[in-house]
């Protein structure tokens, strides 16, 4: 982490809070993200979705023994002739049941995939290339010494790093760790994330709405996105636009969590008293990001906690979470490297309206056309309050700063919504 304070960094020459490019805001935030310090040792299965806090070293050679990659016969390469070779079959080596003896000149051993290659043998002839009479085996010409043999330690040498610290544990890692005979690993402790919604108009589910009121949906999308990342969530409910109540909520959130996320209250008009408040409680920068949706965004520290002030509009909350908060949380969780969610191109099947000078994250539906190529179309109405546009979507269509209107048939950048951790 840089020793730079947020205030110092925000005074850098090329910093314009009123027109902050997406990539620059991301890079700014990344300067301040260190992994949490607490770690714990857990049984392998409990590590699923957590981040490794130490390298996992292999205590054994993988594979542990020289073994066969094929069903066939284990032979001595020196015995193989240019023409057909005939060898005496003296035994068998099955996976888990090795042949105890030694293969001498003119001899071979029946072997199955995974079976230990017996002493004396160095080559496996696949069964399709040989014929057995029970006692003797006739081997077709064209074999190569050393073929179809997996050497001990070929995948991993004992003592070498099987998985690096910072790796997120997925099902493949669970299996890999188990394959080493390792029963426990060190992981970073779960991240505690507190969140609340701000707004006098917001009501929680289960209460009746008066005129002008709406149900709070942001606490539900945030809950879902945070749970999917494996965070411990602290839902602090709705806080009215009242400086005293907000101050109390911020203090409580920062005292109890590593990260505080709010929605609403950072747009023009509302930001002023929130700015004063957060200036008192910590160090926060307020941006207008050159993007749509999700223009207002605040980032900083409140006490020791990281703070993300997301816009109020429900789609903006999700877009800013995926574009800024997700990677940041993974970094604080200890993940390293944190790869941005990959993007790829697809043909856009409709015309898209787009003004240059900002990045748009339209909600899209990606399908495979009859010709096998990928096609994408927007979900329909793209208003930042229309949560259905997120629900109908399976991807973002990302239209970069320089892009203007998109004509049908043009290749556009696409980012999948599913499969993100
Ligand atoms: P704000 O950023 O507070 O000005 O809010 C922008 C828009 O988002 C307004 O129409 C709010 O009513 C709406 N909004 C803010 N918070 C929420 C929420 N938690 N759930 C649903 N809509 C919200
Ligand atoms: Mg508001």
């Amino acid at each position: 982490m840089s020793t730079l304070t947020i205030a110092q960094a925000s005074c850098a020459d090329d910093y314009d809070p009123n027109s902050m490019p997406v990539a620059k805001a991301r890079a700014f935030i990344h300067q301040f993200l260190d992994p949490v310090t607490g770690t714990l040792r857990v049984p392998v299965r409990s590590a699923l979705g957590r981040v490794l806090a130490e390298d996992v070293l292999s205590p054994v050679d993988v594979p542990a023994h020289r073994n066969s990659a094929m069903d066939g016969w284990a032979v001595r390469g020196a015995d193989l002739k240019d023409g057909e070779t005939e060898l005496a079959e003296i035994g068998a080596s099955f996976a888990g049941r090795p042949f105890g003896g030694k293969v001498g000149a003119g001899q071979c051993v029946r072997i199955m995939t995974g079976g230990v290659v017996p002493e004396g043998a160095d080559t496996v002839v696949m069964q399709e290339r040989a014929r057995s009479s029970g006692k003797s085996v006739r081997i077709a010409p064209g074999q190569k010494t050393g073929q179809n043999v997996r050497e001990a330690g070929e995948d991993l040498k004992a003592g070498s790093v099987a998985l690096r610290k910072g790796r997120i544990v997925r099902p493949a890692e669970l299996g890999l760790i188990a394959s080493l005979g390792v029963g426990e690993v060190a992981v970073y402790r779960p991240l505690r994330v507190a969140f609340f919604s701000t707004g006098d108009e917001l009501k929680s589910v289960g209460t009746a709405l008066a005129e002008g009121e709406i149900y709070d949906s942001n606490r539900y999308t945030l809950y879902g996105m945070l749970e999917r990342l494996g965070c411990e969530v602290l839902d602090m409910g709705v806080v009215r636009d009242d400086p005293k109540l907000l101050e109390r909520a911020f203090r409580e959130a920062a005292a109890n969590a590593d990260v505080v996320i709010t929605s609403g209250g950072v747009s023009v008009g509302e930001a002023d008293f929130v700015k004063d408040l957060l200036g008192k409680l910590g160090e926060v920068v307020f941006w207008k990001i050159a993007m749509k949706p999700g223009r207002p965004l605040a980032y900083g520290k409140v006490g020791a906690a990281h703070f993300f002030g997301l816009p109020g509009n429900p789609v903006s909350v999700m877009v800013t979470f995926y574009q800024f908060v997700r990677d940041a949380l993974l970094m604080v969780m200890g993940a390293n490297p944190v790869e941005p969610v990959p993007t790829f191109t697809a043909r856009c099947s409709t015309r898209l309206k787009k003004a240059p000078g900002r990045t748009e994250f339209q909600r899209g539906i990606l399908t495979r056309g009859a010709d096998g190529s990928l096609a994408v179309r927007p979900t329909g109405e793209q208003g930042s309050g229309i949560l259905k546009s997120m629900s109908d979507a399976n991807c973002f269509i990302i239209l970069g700063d320089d892009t203007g209107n998109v004509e049908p048939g043009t290749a556009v950048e696409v980012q999948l919504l599913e499969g993100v951790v």
Side-chain angles (χ1 to χ4, degrees), residues 197-199 201-202 214-219 241 263-267 270 296 310-314:
S197 297
T198 68
E201 75 283 24
L202 301 177
I214 58 169
Y215 285 117
D216 172 11
S217 55
N218 291 342
R219 271 165 48 236
D241 292 318
S263 71
V266 289
S267 52
E270 290 184 304
L310 307 185
N313 272 311

Side-chain angles (χ1 to χ4, degrees), residues 20-195:
M20 189 68 166
V22 172
K24 220 159 117 187
R26 255 188 216 134
F28 182 95
I29 294 169
H30 290 181
Q31 299 175 87
F32 303 102
L33 307 172
D34 267 346
V36 290
T37 49
T39 66
L40 56 155
R41 295 196 75 78
V42 295
V44 177
R45 286 183 183 178
S46 307
L48 183 62
R50 310 243 67 89
V51 179
L52 293 176
E54 285 172 10
D55 290 350
V56 176
L57 303 182
S58 178
V60 290
D61 275 343
V62 180
H65 311 280
R66 199 161 63 137
N67 70 91
S68 176
M70 296 278 179
D71 290 349
W73 281 271
V75 307
R76 301 162 66 99
D79 283 347
L80 296 168
K81 303 199 175 74
D82 288 342
E84 196 177 68
T85 307
E86 184 166 358
L87 299 171
E89 183 177 321
I90 59 164
S93 176
F94 297 125
R97 267 191 291 146
F99 172 73
K102 189 174 169 185
V103 178
Q107 297 179 330
C108 69
V109 158
R110 179 82 171 119
I111 196 163
M112 293 296 154
T113 305
V116 175
V117 175
E119 201 187 329
D122 56 10
T123 303
V124 170
V125 175
M126 63 193 283
Q127 60 191 18
E128 291 78 0
R129 307 285 293 143
R131 265 180 302 125
S132 169
S133 67
K135 284 211 165 110
S136 77
V137 183
R138 298 165 86 85
I139 294 166
Q143 312 299 323
K144 282 205 193 80
T145 298
Q147 70 186 13
N148 303 325
V149 171
R150 297 190 289 221
E151 295 298 334
E154 186 178 286
D155 299 346
L156 271 176
K157 289 258 178 295
S160 64
V161 178
L163 290 168
R164 292 235 171 258
K165 168 180 170 174
R167 179 68 78 88
I168 299 171
V169 178
R170 304 165 303 166
E173 282 73 33
L174 290 185
L176 178 55
I177 295 165
S179 77
L180 307 175
V182 171
E184 267 192 357
V185 286
V187 295
Y188 287 102
R189 69 168 173 80
L191 207 62
R192 266 179 88 69
V193 182
F195 59 95

Side-chain angles (χ1 to χ4, degrees), residues 249-391:
F250 272 117
R251 283 187 191 279
E252 190 189 328
N256 289 294
D258 305 300
V259 179
V260 178
I261 301 178
T262 62
S263 71
V266 289
S267 52
V268 182
E270 290 184 304
D272 290 350
F273 82 83
V274 179
K275 256 185 197 161
D276 292 345
L277 175 59
L278 289 174
K280 192 168 89 179
L281 300 181
E283 246 195 324
V284 176
V285 286
F286 289 78
W287 292 314
K288 289 196 181 72
I289 308 279
M291 71 186 275
K292 185 185 171 186
R295 219 160 124 66
L297 183 74
Y299 167 73
K301 284 287 190 83
V302 177
H306 294 276
F307 165 66
F308 293 90
L310 307 185
N313 272 311
V315 178
S316 309
V317 165
M318 295 195 78
V319 172
T320 48
F321 186 95
Y322 286 130
Q323 299 304 324
F324 297 102
V325 185
R326 173 192 174 273
D327 289 2
L329 293 184
L330 287 172
M331 287 176 190
V332 184
M333 286 163 75
N336 184 20
V338 173
E339 304 291 353
V341 179
T343 63
F344 50 94
T345 55
R347 206 169 19 82
C348 190
S349 46
T350 63
R351 184 170 199 273
L352 303 178
K353 259 190 75 183
K354 157 76 169 62
R358 65 184 182 210
T359 304
E360 281 197 17
F361 297 88
Q362 300 208 2
R363 277 72 68 206
I365 300 171
L366 184 72
T367 54
R368 206 169 272 286
D371 65 352
S373 68
L374 289 171
V376 67
R377 63 180 195 279
T379 52
E381 277 299 320
Q382 294 286 314
S384 58
I386 304 172
L387 210 42
K388 193 168 185 308
S389 71
M390 277 300 301
S391 175

